[in-house]
Amino acid sequence: MAAHEHRCAEERGRAGLLLLSIAAIAVGCGGSGSGGGMDGGLDGSADADTDADADADTDADADTDTDTDTDTDADTDTDTIPDDLPGEICGNGVDDDGDGMLDCADPECKAEPACQGEAEICDDGLDNDFDTRVDCADSDCSNQIYCQEDCDNNADDNGDGLTDCSDPICKGIDPVCGEVCGDGIDNDEDGKIDCADEDCADKDPPCGNNQSDGTTCAYGGDEPHTCSCADGIDNDSDGKTDTGDIHCFGPFDDDEGDYATGIPGDNKGSKGNKECPFDGNSGIGNDGVCCNPADPSQNVTPNGCDSQACCEIDVNGNGTGEHVYVFGECVFAPTCGSDGKHNCPCADVTACDPGQYCVKDDDSGQGFCSTCEPCTSKEECENPCSCGEACFGGFTQPESECGGGGDGGTDGCPLGVTACPDGVGDCNAANNEQCVSGCCYPECPQGVDPCDISSDCPTGWLCITGCCIVSPV
C-alpha cells in the first residue's frame, strides 16, 4: 500500500473537456467541475507557459437590471422555491434552481452542447437522448413489442402477466409509477433523485443490487449498447465482472477481454513512457486528465494506479496488493500447479516459466510467479489506493493496513484518523468519510462526489473507482 498521496508538481494547461468548460464557467472555476487541467506531457517538464493572456476584460458590463417583479396581484404564491436561487448550472450534479430537475434534465440546459444526447436505448433504464422520457416511456421506443404496455389502464397490454406498475417496463420508467430511475429528475418530489431513491433499489439497470453501471457505448459506428465493462456480465468468462476485471479501465471501456477499450485508435495499455492508457485515446495530447492533483474530479486514473498503468492489485488473491503493470499478458494468478509455474513460489525469475516474472507478495514478501511485471509507481502522478477507497481491479486495502493502530494512534486507528465504534455516524460526511475497519476514511477526495454507478453522477460524468469523474471520452 502506498503510504502517502503524492501530488504532481504543478497544474498545467487546460483540460480539453467540454463539460469541464461548462462547469468551470458556471462556478467561476472553483467547484468540483473546475480546475485548470494539465498539459499533455507527463515527462515532468514544468511546461512554462508564458502566455500572458490575462484577458484584461475591461467591459464594465454594468448590469443594472433592477427588475423587482412588480406583480402586485394578490395571489398567495405557495411556490416553495426561493426567489433568489441561481439558474441551473449544467454539469455540477446539483439542482441549482430548486425545480427538481438536475443538469441536462432541466430545460434551461437543453441548448448546451454537452446535453445533446444520443438515440434512446429502450432497455437500459437511462434517458439517453435527454428528453426526460426513459426506455418504453419514450416515443422513440413505441415500435418495440415489449414496450406495448399502458402503465395506467389496469390491463396487461403486452401479455407478460404483469399489469401497469408491476411490469418492469413501467416501474422506475414511467412517471405514473413514481420515481423514474435514470432521468436526473426527482419525479416523486421526495428529495431523492434516481438511484438515491429507494424506489429504484431493484431497478437494474441503471440501479439494482449488482450495481451494473449501464454506461452506453457506440464506438466506430456500432449501434448504441451498454458497454462491456458496465453491463454486469462476465463477458470474457474469467470470473471477474466489470470494475472487478483488470481489463476494464472504466465504465466507458467496451472490451472486457483485454487491455483495449473498443474505442477506434485507442491504445492497448502498452508501456509508453508518456502515454496514459485510461483516457480513451492514443497520444499524450490530453494526458493531463491522468495526472491532475489540482482538481481530483478531472483525474481519470483509477484509485491504485499511476498515469502509466502501474497499479496495486491483489495478483495472487490472498488479500494484499502488489504493484504491477496492467497490460499485455497480465492476469490474476491461478492456483499453483494449474498452469505451469504460474503462482508457484520463486526466489527470482529463473524459477518461473518463460514470459513470467517473480512478483513479491505485498511488494516485499515471498515471491510468486506471475504474468504481470512488477513496477514502481511514478510518484508524482500516482493515485494511491488508500483505506476506505474502492480501487482498480476490485482491490481494497486489507484491515491490517487500515486499523490496528498506527504510530501514536488510538482506538485501533492510525494517528489523525477518527475511530467509529458506533458506525458511520462518528465520521464526517462532509469529507466523504465512511467507517472502514473501525476507522473513518474518505471514499473520495473532498469536493468529489462518491458514487456506485455513473447515473449517481452528473450527466457527462462517469463513476470511476467509486468517485464521479468528468468523462474522458
Side-chain angles (χ1 to χ4, degrees), residues 4 21 28 45 47-49 62 87 90 179 183 214 227 280 284 322 338 348 388 407-408 413 418 463-464:
H4 45 70
S21 299
S45 67
D47 190 9
D49 185 356
C90 307
E179 183 69 12
D183 65 350
C227 304
I284 63 174
E322 294 79 40
S338 64
D348 55 48
D407 184 18
C413 298
T418 302
C463 187
I464 297 179

Side-chain angles (χ1 to χ4, degrees), residues 315-355:
V315 180
N316 60 350
N318 69 350
T320 60
E322 294 79 40
H323 283 83
V324 296
Y325 284 114
V326 288
F327 64 80
E329 301 303 316
C330 177
V331 295
F332 290 114
T335 303
C336 173
S338 64
D339 181 20
K341 296 179 180 178
H342 201 174
N343 203 23
C344 295
C346 60
D348 55 48
V349 70
T350 61
C352 302
D353 291 329

Side-chain angles (χ1 to χ4, degrees), residues 57-233:
D57 186 356
T58 58
D59 179 2
D61 194 11
D63 186 355
T64 57
D65 182 2
T66 56
D67 179 1
T68 55
D69 193 0
T70 57
D71 181 1
T72 57
D73 69 26
D75 83 50
T76 55
D77 188 359
T78 58
D79 188 354
T80 58
I81 299 176
D83 293 333
D84 59 350
L85 281 177
E88 185 69 12
I89 298 171
C90 307
N92 65 349
V94 178
D95 177 19
D96 305 280
D97 55 7
D99 63 356
M101 291 181 284
L102 181 71
D103 295 342
C104 290
D106 195 305
E108 293 182 39
C109 296
K110 290 303 179 185
E112 295 290 349
C115 293
Q116 307 307 306
E118 300 177 348
E120 184 70 12
I121 299 174
C122 299
D123 61 354
D124 67 349
L126 301 174
D127 178 20
N128 309 100
D129 55 7
F130 301 135
D131 64 355
T132 74
R133 295 182 293 274
V134 175
D135 291 358
C136 291
D138 194 313
S139 59
D140 297 342
C141 299
S142 59
N143 63 338
Q144 300 292 331
I145 294 177
Y146 57 83
C147 287
Q148 308 301 319
E149 178 74 22
D150 184 329
C151 299
D152 194 25
N153 68 347
N154 199 33
D156 176 19
D157 304 285
N158 61 359
D160 64 355
L162 301 171
T163 301
D164 295 349
C165 293
S166 63
D167 195 310
I169 72 169
C170 295
K171 183 182 179 183
I173 293 175
D174 195 308
V176 302
C177 297
E179 183 69 12
V180 177
C181 301
D183 65 350
I185 299 174
D186 180 14
N187 309 92
D188 55 7
E189 299 181 355
D190 64 355
K192 302 173 184 177
I193 296 176
D194 294 350
C195 295
D197 193 315
E198 54 270 14
D199 295 341
C200 296
D202 60 351
K203 189 60 185 176
D204 181 17
C207 310
N209 293 328
N210 69 6
Q211 294 297 301
S212 57
D213 187 274
T215 292
T216 299
C217 286
Y219 305 133
D222 289 348
E223 288 296 317
H225 59 279
T226 303
C227 304
S228 293
C229 289
D231 61 3
I233 300 171

Side-chain angles (χ1 to χ4, degrees), residues 225-414:
H225 59 279
T226 303
C227 304
S228 293
C229 289
D231 61 3
I233 300 171
D234 178 14
N235 297 280
D236 57 357
S237 302
D238 65 353
K240 306 291 182 180
T241 301
D242 294 355
T243 57
D245 194 313
I246 56 176
H247 296 114
C248 287
F249 285 169
F252 62 87
D253 192 330
D254 200 26
D255 188 342
E256 196 178 87
D258 61 31
Y259 293 105
T261 62
I263 302 174
D266 190 20
N267 57 70
K268 295 186 177 182
S270 59
K271 181 187 172 184
N273 64 351
K274 291 185 179 180
E275 167 61 356
C276 168
F278 304 109
D279 58 4
N281 58 57
S282 290
I284 63 174
N286 71 331
D287 278 1
V289 298
C290 290
C291 182
N292 195 341
D295 185 356
S297 71
Q298 303 298 305
N299 185 12
V300 302
T301 301
N303 295 332
C305 299
D306 72 3
S307 59
Q308 296 171 24
C310 177
C311 300
E312 183 179 15
I313 60 175
D314 184 9
V315 180
N316 60 350
N318 69 350
T320 60
E322 294 79 40
H323 283 83
V324 296
Y325 284 114
V326 288
F327 64 80
E329 301 303 316
C330 177
V331 295
F332 290 114
T335 303
C336 173
S338 64
D339 181 20
K341 296 179 180 178
H342 201 174
N343 203 23
C344 295
C346 60
D348 55 48
V349 70
T350 61
C352 302
D353 291 329
Q356 294 180 353
Y357 303 88
C358 188
V359 175
K360 301 297 184 183
D361 183 51
D362 200 17
D363 288 338
S364 60
Q366 169 67 49
F368 62 93
C369 295
S370 171
T371 56
C372 303
E373 179 184 355
C375 61
T376 300
S377 294
K378 185 177 181 180
E379 295 180 348
E380 65 270 25
C381 287
E382 180 187 11
N383 182 10
C385 178
S386 301
C387 292
E389 293 181 336
C391 301
F392 182 74
F395 180 60
T396 56
Q397 291 295 345
E399 185 171 353
S400 59
E401 296 280 3
C402 302
D407 184 18
T410 59
D411 298 316
C413 298

Side-chain angles (χ1 to χ4, degrees), residues 5-60:
E5 299 274 356
H6 291 280
R7 298 297 187 189
C8 292
E10 57 187 277
E11 179 179 358
R12 311 175 225 169
R14 298 182 178 90
L17 299 172
L18 177 58
L19 279 178
L20 171 60
S21 299
I22 294 170
I25 292 170
V27 300
C29 295
S32 67
S34 69
M38 298 184 68
D39 199 19
L42 287 177
D43 56 2
S45 67
D47 190 9
D49 185 356
T50 57
D51 182 0
D53 182 10
D55 196 7
D57 186 356
T58 58
D59 179 2

